Amino acid sequence: MSEVTYDVRQLKRARYAVAAVFCVHGAVTGSFATRVPWIQEHAGLSAGLLGLALAFPAIGASVAMPLAGWVSHRFGARTALRGLLALWTLSLILPSLAPNLLTLCLALFVYGATAGMSDVAMNALGVEIEGRMKKSIMSGLHGMWSVGALIGSAAGTVAAHLGADARLHHALAAAALTAIGLIACQGVLDLQAEPEDVAPPRFSLPPKSALLIGAVGFCAVFAEGASLDWSAVYLRDVLDSSAGVAAACTTGFTLTMAIARLAGDAVVDRFGAVRTVRVGGVVAALGGLLVVVAPHPAVAMSGFALLGLGIAVVVPLAFAAAGRSGPNPSQAIAGVATITYTSGLIAPSAIGTLADATSLVVSFGLVTVLACGLAVFAGVLRTDGREATPVAPADAPAGKP
């Protein structure tokens, strides 16, 4: 990518623009998630068939993400992000239009593919800005994604409460989010490939540099997926909680992650990525242990909150480390993203399968073990012989990365 030097004001503007992109990306996910019951009823699917269909976003993302680096190289970072984000926001319309299983699977494949490619493009730009600003911003960017998901979920909840047709709801949401996304993309860095830069392959396996970093992200995303999908069930089935208390546990976990991500950059700048993840792993493991031994719903809810707090910044820091781990940031980020998406795909079903064979308590014992892995293997986030994110004053002069 180009070595153009940007001043502090330009970099701050680009940071806010990318933050808005992250928020839009999250809002699409939140808008979709709240209308899944409507989509299931419209397509006439059983719970089992719906579960099959819901695997296709992750499949589509895993297949398409390696292509994002080539698109950014071919068209430039700003143009690529603008196009990929628009495809993602507009793809929100497709699932609610599907009348049966086959068309829903195809729609969700496209939905996941555009989600994954835009995800890689926006994270690559975030890593580039972080490197030029010489301060951590990735945790806050992912926090804005969580804020967007909460906004999209809230709007979807209102639409569902009013009995609105999901086709109309998603058409209006897609139009609004596309417009906001296109405006936000105007402010991101307009990075262009140099003539001597070698184009990344259209499709490739994750580079070796991304595998260990991706493994750390895998542990965090597995714990996140397990907690999001199973925390309410855990409180209901294991601790005999009411439906309201069980739902509040999931909401609390989500809010904890969002708040921790928004505050995470200051922590990373103070202590560095490796120490932050090590401490986070210990906190997450303690949370998992509380869940496993909890005699009362309040203890389990505290455990899930600690899990959310401990894993919140791991994925942003994994993307940041991947972006510095080799000559092609987009390809490395795509590799890490592929691994983490795979973790998100298998975590809910793995927890359910293990629970059927043993119990939910044993399943969250596995989550606790994986959380310990964060503390043990955090060192892989040190990609250049020092902490992945150097400490520098917020107003440090910007220069070449």
Side-chain angles (χ1 to χ4, degrees), residues 137-146 216-217 219-221 223-224 227 252-265 267-268 276-277 279-285 304-319 371 374 381:
I137 68 168
M138 291 301 292
S139 180
L141 292 181
H142 282 253
M144 288 302 297
W145 188 96
S146 297
V216 173
C219 293
V221 173
E224 180 181 355
S227 299
F253 174 83
T254 304
L255 286 173
T256 301
M257 285 200 65
I259 293 170
R261 281 178 171 172
L262 290 172
D265 289 322
V267 177
V268 174
T276 299
V277 172
V279 173
V282 172
V283 171
F304 281 114
L306 288 175
L307 266 170
L309 180 64
I311 65 176
V313 301
V314 176
V315 171
L317 292 179
F319 281 131
L374 297 176
L381 300 182

Side-chain angles (χ1 to χ4, degrees), residues 288-308:
L289 183 61
L290 283 179
V291 170
V292 170
V293 303
H296 187 275
V299 177
M301 292 176 75
S302 299
F304 281 114
L306 288 175
L307 266 170

Side-chain angles (χ1 to χ4, degrees), residues 183-278:
I183 293 170
C185 286
Q186 288 299 107
V188 304
L189 299 183
D190 190 17
L191 302 175
Q192 301 288 333
E194 298 291 352
E196 65 272 15
D197 292 342
V198 178
R202 287 179 172 85
F203 295 98
S204 63
L205 295 174
K208 292 181 180 179
S209 61
L211 293 179
L212 287 176
I213 296 171
V216 173
F218 181 97
C219 293
V221 173
F222 192 98
E224 180 181 355
S227 299
L228 281 173
D229 286 6
W230 287 96
S231 57
V233 178
Y234 191 95
L235 262 70
R236 183 194 66 192
D237 292 355
V238 177
L239 298 171
D240 198 27
S241 302
S242 67
V245 171
C249 180
T250 303
T251 301
F253 174 83
T254 304
L255 286 173
T256 301
M257 285 200 65
I259 293 170
R261 281 178 171 172
L262 290 172
D265 289 322
V267 177
V268 174
D269 281 334
R270 176 66 180 85
F271 298 104
V274 174
R275 276 177 285 180
T276 299
V277 172
R278 281 204 178 115

Side-chain angles (χ1 to χ4, degrees), residues 64-85:
M65 278 189 293
L67 184 60
W70 180 85
V71 173
S72 294
H73 183 277
R74 173 68 177 79
F75 298 101
R78 180 188 292 171
T79 300
L81 180 61
R82 184 188 295 128
L84 293 174
L85 186 67

